[in-house]
PDB file of all heavy atoms in Angstrom:
ATOM      1  N   VAL A 650      10.842  10.708 -14.904  1.00 98.00           N
ATOM      2  CA  VAL A 650      11.665  10.592 -13.710  1.00 98.00           C
ATOM      3  C   VAL A 650      12.773   9.569 -13.933  1.00 98.00           C
ATOM      4  O   VAL A 650      12.598   8.609 -14.696  1.00 98.00           O
ATOM      5  CB  VAL A 650      10.773  10.200 -12.490  1.00 98.00           C
ATOM      6  CG1 VAL A 650      10.181   8.815 -12.667  1.00 98.00           C
ATOM      7  CG2 VAL A 650      11.530  10.292 -11.188  1.00 98.00           C
ATOM      8  N   HIS A 651      13.911   9.820 -13.314  1.00 98.00           N
ATOM      9  CA  HIS A 651      15.019   8.860 -13.338  1.00 98.00           C
ATOM     10  C   HIS A 651      15.548   8.763 -11.906  1.00 98.00           C
ATOM     11  O   HIS A 651      16.078   9.725 -11.360  1.00 98.00           O
ATOM     12  CB  HIS A 651      16.121   9.347 -14.295  1.00 98.00           C
ATOM     13  CG  HIS A 651      17.325   8.444 -14.293  1.00 98.00           C
ATOM     14  ND1 HIS A 651      18.480   8.751 -14.974  1.00 98.00           N
ATOM     15  CD2 HIS A 651      17.563   7.242 -13.712  1.00 98.00           C
ATOM     16  CE1 HIS A 651      19.377   7.792 -14.792  1.00 98.00           C
ATOM     17  NE2 HIS A 651      18.837   6.861 -14.025  1.00 98.00           N
ATOM     18  N   LEU A 652      15.362   7.586 -11.327  1.00 98.00           N
ATOM     19  CA  LEU A 652      15.825   7.330  -9.969  1.00 98.00           C
ATOM     20  C   LEU A 652      16.892   6.244 -10.043  1.00 98.00           C
ATOM     21  O   LEU A 652      16.715   5.260 -10.760  1.00 98.00           O
ATOM     22  CB  LEU A 652      14.650   6.856  -9.097  1.00 98.00           C
ATOM     23  CG  LEU A 652      13.416   7.764  -9.119  1.00 98.00           C
ATOM     24  CD1 LEU A 652      12.178   7.022  -8.630  1.00 98.00           C
ATOM     25  CD2 LEU A 652      13.654   8.992  -8.281  1.00 98.00           C
ATOM     26  N   GLU A 653      17.963   6.408  -9.319  1.00 98.00           N
ATOM     27  CA  GLU A 653      19.015   5.386  -9.395  1.00 98.00           C
ATOM     28  C   GLU A 653      19.939   5.485  -8.191  1.00 98.00           C
ATOM     29  O   GLU A 653      20.303   6.585  -7.760  1.00 98.00           O
ATOM     30  CB  GLU A 653      19.826   5.564 -10.693  1.00 98.00           C
ATOM     31  CG  GLU A 653      20.788   4.425 -10.945  1.00 98.00           C
ATOM     32  CD  GLU A 653      21.389   4.473 -12.353  1.00 98.00           C
ATOM     33  OE1 GLU A 653      20.853   5.194 -13.216  1.00 98.00           O
ATOM     34  OE2 GLU A 653      22.412   3.807 -12.559  1.00 98.00           O
ATOM     35  N   THR A 654      20.296   4.333  -7.650  1.00 98.00           N
ATOM     36  CA  THR A 654      21.226   4.314  -6.522  1.00 98.00           C
ATOM     37  C   THR A 654      22.631   4.661  -7.014  1.00 98.00           C
ATOM     38  O   THR A 654      22.919   4.583  -8.221  1.00 98.00           O
ATOM     39  CB  THR A 654      21.269   2.920  -5.863  1.00 98.00           C
ATOM     40  OG1 THR A 654      21.613   1.957  -6.871  1.00 98.00           O
ATOM     41  CG2 THR A 654      19.924   2.558  -5.267  1.00 98.00           C
ATOM     42  N   LYS A 655      23.481   4.993  -6.081  1.00 97.00           N
ATOM     43  CA  LYS A 655      24.848   5.400  -6.432  1.00 97.00           C
ATOM     44  C   LYS A 655      25.578   4.290  -7.182  1.00 97.00           C
ATOM     45  O   LYS A 655      26.325   4.535  -8.122  1.00 97.00           O
ATOM     46  CB  LYS A 655      25.589   5.759  -5.143  1.00 97.00           C
ATOM     47  CG  LYS A 655      26.912   6.450  -5.361  1.00 97.00           C
ATOM     48  CD  LYS A 655      27.518   6.866  -4.019  1.00 97.00           C
ATOM     49  CE  LYS A 655      28.871   7.533  -4.241  1.00 97.00           C
ATOM     50  NZ  LYS A 655      29.511   7.910  -2.962  1.00 97.00           N
ATOM     51  N   THR A 656      25.353   3.061  -6.765  1.00 97.00           N
ATOM     52  CA  THR A 656      26.037   1.929  -7.397  1.00 97.00           C
ATOM     53  C   THR A 656      25.399   1.549  -8.736  1.00 97.00           C
ATOM     54  O   THR A 656      25.989   0.797  -9.511  1.00 97.00           O
ATOM     55  CB  THR A 656      25.971   0.684  -6.492  1.00 97.00           C
ATOM     56  OG1 THR A 656      24.588   0.351  -6.283  1.00 97.00           O
ATOM     57  CG2 THR A 656      26.649   0.935  -5.158  1.00 97.00           C
ATOM     58  N   GLY A 657      24.198   2.026  -8.963  1.00 97.00           N
ATOM     59  CA  GLY A 657      23.497   1.697 -10.207  1.00 97.00           C
ATOM     60  C   GLY A 657      22.807   0.352 -10.181  1.00 97.00           C
ATOM     61  O   GLY A 657      22.209  -0.076 -11.174  1.00 97.00           O
ATOM     62  N   GLU A 658      22.821  -0.316  -9.022  1.00 97.00           N
ATOM     63  CA  GLU A 658      22.241  -1.661  -8.975  1.00 97.00           C
ATOM     64  C   GLU A 658      20.713  -1.654  -8.886  1.00 97.00           C
ATOM     65  O   GLU A 658      20.070  -2.689  -9.065  1.00 97.00           O
ATOM     66  CB  GLU A 658      22.832  -2.453  -7.808  1.00 97.00           C
ATOM     67  CG  GLU A 658      22.510  -1.875  -6.445  1.00 97.00           C
ATOM     68  CD  GLU A 658      23.260  -2.571  -5.309  1.00 97.00           C
ATOM     69  OE1 GLU A 658      24.156  -3.387  -5.592  1.00 97.00           O
ATOM     70  OE2 GLU A 658      22.939  -2.264  -4.150  1.00 97.00           O
ATOM     71  N   ARG A 659      20.130  -0.501  -8.579  1.00 98.00           N
ATOM     72  CA  ARG A 659      18.673  -0.384  -8.506  1.00 98.00           C
ATOM     73  C   ARG A 659      18.278   0.960  -9.088  1.00 98.00           C
ATOM     74  O   ARG A 659      18.954   1.977  -8.850  1.00 98.00           O
ATOM     75  CB  ARG A 659      18.220  -0.500  -7.045  1.00 98.00           C
ATOM     76  CG  ARG A 659      16.731  -0.547  -6.835  1.00 98.00           C
ATOM     77  CD  ARG A 659      16.408  -0.993  -5.387  1.00 98.00           C
ATOM     78  NE  ARG A 659      17.162  -0.235  -4.405  1.00 98.00           N
ATOM     79  CZ  ARG A 659      16.773   0.958  -3.939  1.00 98.00           C
ATOM     80  NH1 ARG A 659      15.653   1.499  -4.348  1.00 98.00           N
ATOM     81  NH2 ARG A 659      17.513   1.587  -3.055  1.00 98.00           N
ATOM     82  N   GLY A 660      17.200   0.960  -9.895  1.00 98.00           N
ATOM     83  CA  GLY A 660      16.773   2.223 -10.487  1.00 98.00           C
ATOM     84  C   GLY A 660      15.407   2.131 -11.135  1.00 98.00           C
ATOM     85  O   GLY A 660      14.805   1.045 -11.233  1.00 98.00           O
ATOM     86  N   TYR A 661      14.901   3.267 -11.535  1.00 98.00           N
ATOM     87  CA  TYR A 661      13.600   3.330 -12.222  1.00 98.00           C
ATOM     88  C   TYR A 661      13.606   4.543 -13.131  1.00 98.00           C
ATOM     89  O   TYR A 661      13.902   5.657 -12.689  1.00 98.00           O
ATOM     90  CB  TYR A 661      12.471   3.444 -11.191  1.00 98.00           C
ATOM     91  CG  TYR A 661      11.063   3.355 -11.759  1.00 98.00           C
ATOM     92  CD1 TYR A 661      10.731   2.443 -12.757  1.00 98.00           C
ATOM     93  CD2 TYR A 661      10.045   4.164 -11.277  1.00 98.00           C
ATOM     94  CE1 TYR A 661       9.427   2.352 -13.243  1.00 98.00           C
ATOM     95  CE2 TYR A 661       8.740   4.073 -11.753  1.00 98.00           C
ATOM     96  CZ  TYR A 661       8.440   3.162 -12.740  1.00 98.00           C
ATOM     97  OH  TYR A 661       7.151   3.065 -13.235  1.00 98.00           O
ATOM     98  N   GLN A 662      13.329   4.318 -14.395  1.00 98.00           N
ATOM     99  CA  GLN A 662      13.171   5.396 -15.357  1.00 98.00           C
ATOM    100  C   GLN A 662      11.770   5.280 -15.924  1.00 98.00           C
ATOM    101  O   GLN A 662      11.413   4.223 -16.467  1.00 98.00           O
ATOM    102  CB  GLN A 662      14.199   5.271 -16.488  1.00 98.00           C
ATOM    103  CG  GLN A 662      15.591   5.734 -16.083  1.00 98.00           C
ATOM    104  CD  GLN A 662      16.570   5.666 -17.242  1.00 98.00           C
ATOM    105  OE1 GLN A 662      16.935   4.562 -17.663  1.00 98.00           O
ATOM    106  NE2 GLN A 662      16.973   6.802 -17.743  1.00 98.00           N
ATOM    107  N   ALA A 663      10.988   6.350 -15.771  1.00 98.00           N
ATOM    108  CA  ALA A 663       9.577   6.237 -16.149  1.00 98.00           C
ATOM    109  C   ALA A 663       9.018   7.547 -16.693  1.00 98.00           C
ATOM    110  O   ALA A 663       9.532   8.632 -16.420  1.00 98.00           O
ATOM    111  CB  ALA A 663       8.760   5.808 -14.935  1.00 98.00           C
ATOM    112  N   GLU A 664       7.954   7.387 -17.463  1.00 97.00           N
ATOM    113  CA  GLU A 664       7.147   8.521 -17.919  1.00 97.00           C
ATOM    114  C   GLU A 664       5.920   8.579 -17.025  1.00 97.00           C
ATOM    115  O   GLU A 664       5.421   7.540 -16.559  1.00 97.00           O
ATOM    116  CB  GLU A 664       6.699   8.319 -19.371  1.00 97.00           C
ATOM    117  CG  GLU A 664       7.840   8.131 -20.359  1.00 97.00           C
ATOM    118  CD  GLU A 664       8.688   9.383 -20.496  1.00 97.00           C
ATOM    119  OE1 GLU A 664       8.103  10.490 -20.561  1.00 97.00           O
ATOM    120  OE2 GLU A 664       9.925   9.250 -20.505  1.00 97.00           O
ATOM    121  N   LEU A 665       5.399   9.777 -16.806  1.00 97.00           N
ATOM    122  CA  LEU A 665       4.196   9.945 -15.980  1.00 97.00           C
ATOM    123  C   LEU A 665       3.147  10.734 -16.749  1.00 97.00           C
ATOM    124  O   LEU A 665       3.473  11.713 -17.432  1.00 97.00           O
ATOM    125  CB  LEU A 665       4.511  10.693 -14.682  1.00 97.00           C
ATOM    126  CG  LEU A 665       5.467   9.968 -13.719  1.00 97.00           C
ATOM    127  CD1 LEU A 665       6.840  10.591 -13.793  1.00 97.00           C
ATOM    128  CD2 LEU A 665       4.959  10.034 -12.293  1.00 97.00           C
ATOM    129  N   LEU A 666       1.909  10.295 -16.642  1.00 97.00           N
ATOM    130  CA  LEU A 666       0.786  11.005 -17.265  1.00 97.00           C
ATOM    131  C   LEU A 666      -0.401  10.966 -16.310  1.00 97.00           C
ATOM    132  O   LEU A 666      -0.639   9.954 -15.641  1.00 97.00           O
ATOM    133  CB  LEU A 666       0.372  10.323 -18.568  1.00 97.00           C
ATOM    134  CG  LEU A 666       1.074  10.711 -19.865  1.00 97.00           C
ATOM    135  CD1 LEU A 666       0.483   9.924 -21.019  1.00 97.00           C
ATOM    136  CD2 LEU A 666       0.979  12.200 -20.140  1.00 97.00           C
ATOM    137  N   GLY A 667      -1.155  12.048 -16.286  1.00 96.00           N
ATOM    138  CA  GLY A 667      -2.308  12.044 -15.382  1.00 96.00           C
ATOM    139  C   GLY A 667      -3.247  13.210 -15.584  1.00 96.00           C
ATOM    140  O   GLY A 667      -3.049  14.056 -16.456  1.00 96.00           O
ATOM    141  N   THR A 668      -4.271  13.223 -14.749  1.00 95.00           N
ATOM    142  CA  THR A 668      -5.325  14.235 -14.832  1.00 95.00           C
ATOM    143  C   THR A 668      -5.709  14.697 -13.422  1.00 95.00           C
ATOM    144  O   THR A 668      -5.829  13.871 -12.516  1.00 95.00           O
ATOM    145  CB  THR A 668      -6.585  13.628 -15.500  1.00 95.00           C
ATOM    146  OG1 THR A 668      -6.242  13.217 -16.819  1.00 95.00           O
ATOM    147  CG2 THR A 668      -7.716  14.637 -15.575  1.00 95.00           C
ATOM    148  N   VAL A 669      -5.900  15.994 -13.266  1.00 96.00           N
ATOM    149  CA  VAL A 669      -6.415  16.541 -12.003  1.00 96.00           C
ATOM    150  C   VAL A 669      -7.679  17.325 -12.317  1.00 96.00           C
ATOM    151  O   VAL A 669      -7.690  18.152 -13.221  1.00 96.00           O
ATOM    152  CB  VAL A 669      -5.381  17.478 -11.335  1.00 96.00           C
ATOM    153  CG1 VAL A 669      -5.971  18.093 -10.066  1.00 96.00           C
ATOM    154  CG2 VAL A 669      -4.094  16.731 -11.016  1.00 96.00           C
ATOM    155  N   GLU A 670      -8.736  17.039 -11.569  1.00 96.00           N
ATOM    156  CA  GLU A 670      -9.979  17.795 -11.727  1.00 96.00           C
ATOM    157  C   GLU A 670     -10.370  18.396 -10.383  1.00 96.00           C
ATOM    158  O   GLU A 670     -10.136  17.779  -9.332  1.00 96.00           O
ATOM    159  CB  GLU A 670     -11.103  16.888 -12.232  1.00 96.00           C
ATOM    160  CG  GLU A 670     -10.913  16.494 -13.684  1.00 96.00           C
ATOM    161  CD  GLU A 670     -12.010  15.557 -14.197  1.00 96.00           C
ATOM    162  OE1 GLU A 670     -12.893  15.173 -13.404  1.00 96.00           O
ATOM    163  OE2 GLU A 670     -11.957  15.199 -15.371  1.00 96.00           O
ATOM    164  N   THR A 671     -10.971  19.575 -10.435  1.00 96.00           N
ATOM    165  CA  THR A 671     -11.362  20.251  -9.199  1.00 96.00           C
ATOM    166  C   THR A 671     -12.792  20.771  -9.304  1.00 96.00           C
ATOM    167  O   THR A 671     -13.314  20.975 -10.400  1.00 96.00           O
ATOM    168  CB  THR A 671     -10.423  21.443  -8.904  1.00 96.00           C
ATOM    169  OG1 THR A 671     -10.550  22.394  -9.968  1.00 96.00           O
ATOM    170  CG2 THR A 671      -8.987  21.007  -8.793  1.00 96.00           C
ATOM    171  N   LYS A 672     -13.381  20.975  -8.141  1.00 95.00           N
ATOM    172  CA  LYS A 672     -14.717  21.576  -8.094  1.00 95.00           C
ATOM    173  C   LYS A 672     -14.856  22.314  -6.762  1.00 95.00           C
ATOM    174  O   LYS A 672     -14.527  21.743  -5.711  1.00 95.00           O
ATOM    175  CB  LYS A 672     -15.790  20.490  -8.223  1.00 95.00           C
ATOM    176  CG  LYS A 672     -17.189  21.066  -8.376  1.00 95.00           C
ATOM    177  CD  LYS A 672     -18.215  19.951  -8.522  1.00 95.00           C
ATOM    178  CE  LYS A 672     -19.611  20.557  -8.648  1.00 95.00           C
ATOM    179  NZ  LYS A 672     -20.649  19.529  -8.671  1.00 95.00           N
ATOM    180  N   ASP A 673     -15.297  23.524  -6.809  1.00 94.00           N
ATOM    181  CA  ASP A 673     -15.495  24.339  -5.607  1.00 94.00           C
ATOM    182  C   ASP A 673     -14.241  24.370  -4.725  1.00 94.00           C
ATOM    183  O   ASP A 673     -14.318  24.251  -3.493  1.00 94.00           O
ATOM    184  CB  ASP A 673     -16.688  23.816  -4.785  1.00 94.00           C
ATOM    185  CG  ASP A 673     -17.983  23.838  -5.588  1.00 94.00           C
ATOM    186  OD1 ASP A 673     -18.116  24.729  -6.468  1.00 94.00           O
ATOM    187  OD2 ASP A 673     -18.842  22.965  -5.351  1.00 94.00           O
ATOM    188  N   GLY A 674     -13.097  24.503  -5.364  1.00 93.00           N
ATOM    189  CA  GLY A 674     -11.846  24.616  -4.610  1.00 93.00           C
ATOM    190  C   GLY A 674     -11.334  23.324  -4.012  1.00 93.00           C
ATOM    191  O   GLY A 674     -10.427  23.333  -3.179  1.00 93.00           O
ATOM    192  N   LYS A 675     -11.886  22.200  -4.429  1.00 95.00           N
ATOM    193  CA  LYS A 675     -11.423  20.894  -3.924  1.00 95.00           C
ATOM    194  C   LYS A 675     -11.006  20.003  -5.093  1.00 95.00           C
ATOM    195  O   LYS A 675     -11.591  20.078  -6.177  1.00 95.00           O
ATOM    196  CB  LYS A 675     -12.547  20.177  -3.161  1.00 95.00           C
ATOM    197  CG  LYS A 675     -13.088  20.950  -1.971  1.00 95.00           C
ATOM    198  CD  LYS A 675     -12.157  20.819  -0.788  1.00 95.00           C
ATOM    199  CE  LYS A 675     -12.708  21.569   0.424  1.00 95.00           C
ATOM    200  NZ  LYS A 675     -11.686  21.790   1.451  1.00 95.00           N
ATOM    201  N   VAL A 676     -10.026  19.161  -4.835  1.00 97.00           N
ATOM    202  CA  VAL A 676      -9.623  18.182  -5.846  1.00 97.00           C
ATOM    203  C   VAL A 676     -10.660  17.063  -5.850  1.00 97.00           C
ATOM    204  O   VAL A 676     -10.911  16.441  -4.818  1.00 97.00           O
ATOM    205  CB  VAL A 676      -8.219  17.612  -5.539  1.00 97.00           C
ATOM    206  CG1 VAL A 676      -7.859  16.514  -6.539  1.00 97.00           C
ATOM    207  CG2 VAL A 676      -7.180  18.718  -5.574  1.00 97.00           C
ATOM    208  N   THR A 677     -11.264  16.819  -6.984  1.00 96.00           N
ATOM    209  CA  THR A 677     -12.299  15.774  -7.072  1.00 96.00           C
ATOM    210  C   THR A 677     -11.799  14.543  -7.822  1.00 96.00           C
ATOM    211  O   THR A 677     -12.437  13.491  -7.793  1.00 96.00           O
ATOM    212  CB  THR A 677     -13.547  16.320  -7.790  1.00 96.00           C
ATOM    213  OG1 THR A 677     -13.151  16.854  -9.057  1.00 96.00           O
ATOM    214  CG2 THR A 677     -14.217  17.402  -6.958  1.00 96.00           C
ATOM    215  N   ARG A 678     -10.682  14.703  -8.499  1.00 96.00           N
ATOM    216  CA  ARG A 678     -10.123  13.563  -9.220  1.00 96.00           C
ATOM    217  C   ARG A 678      -8.623  13.778  -9.378  1.00 96.00           C
ATOM    218  O   ARG A 678      -8.185  14.888  -9.703  1.00 96.00           O
ATOM    219  CB  ARG A 678     -10.766  13.472 -10.605  1.00 96.00           C
ATOM    220  CG  ARG A 678     -10.191  12.395 -11.500  1.00 96.00           C
ATOM    221  CD  ARG A 678     -10.808  12.484 -12.879  1.00 96.00           C
ATOM    222  NE  ARG A 678     -10.197  11.591 -13.827  1.00 96.00           N
ATOM    223  CZ  ARG A 678     -10.320  11.691 -15.151  1.00 96.00           C
ATOM    224  NH1 ARG A 678     -11.073  12.650 -15.681  1.00 96.00           N
ATOM    225  NH2 ARG A 678      -9.729  10.834 -15.943  1.00 96.00           N
ATOM    226  N   LEU A 679      -7.872  12.746  -9.108  1.00 96.00           N
ATOM    227  CA  LEU A 679      -6.430  12.800  -9.345  1.00 96.00           C
ATOM    228  C   LEU A 679      -6.005  11.412  -9.813  1.00 96.00           C
ATOM    229  O   LEU A 679      -5.882  10.487  -9.008  1.00 96.00           O
ATOM    230  CB  LEU A 679      -5.660  13.203  -8.078  1.00 96.00           C
ATOM    231  CG  LEU A 679      -4.255  13.773  -8.273  1.00 96.00           C
ATOM    232  CD1 LEU A 679      -3.712  14.360  -6.996  1.00 96.00           C
ATOM    233  CD2 LEU A 679      -3.273  12.765  -8.844  1.00 96.00           C
TER     234      LEU A 679
END
Side-chain angles (χ1 to χ4, degrees):
Chain A
V650 65
H651 176 186
L652 307 161
E653 189 169 344
T654 56
K655 191 175 179 182
T656 60
E658 64 188 9
R659 186 167 50 84
Y661 187 41
Q662 283 183 290
E664 302 294 318
L665 296 104
L666 273 181
T668 299
V669 177
E670 288 179 357
T671 62
K672 188 179 179 185
D673 300 329
K675 301 281 181 196
V676 176
T677 54
R678 175 185 173 197
L679 201 170

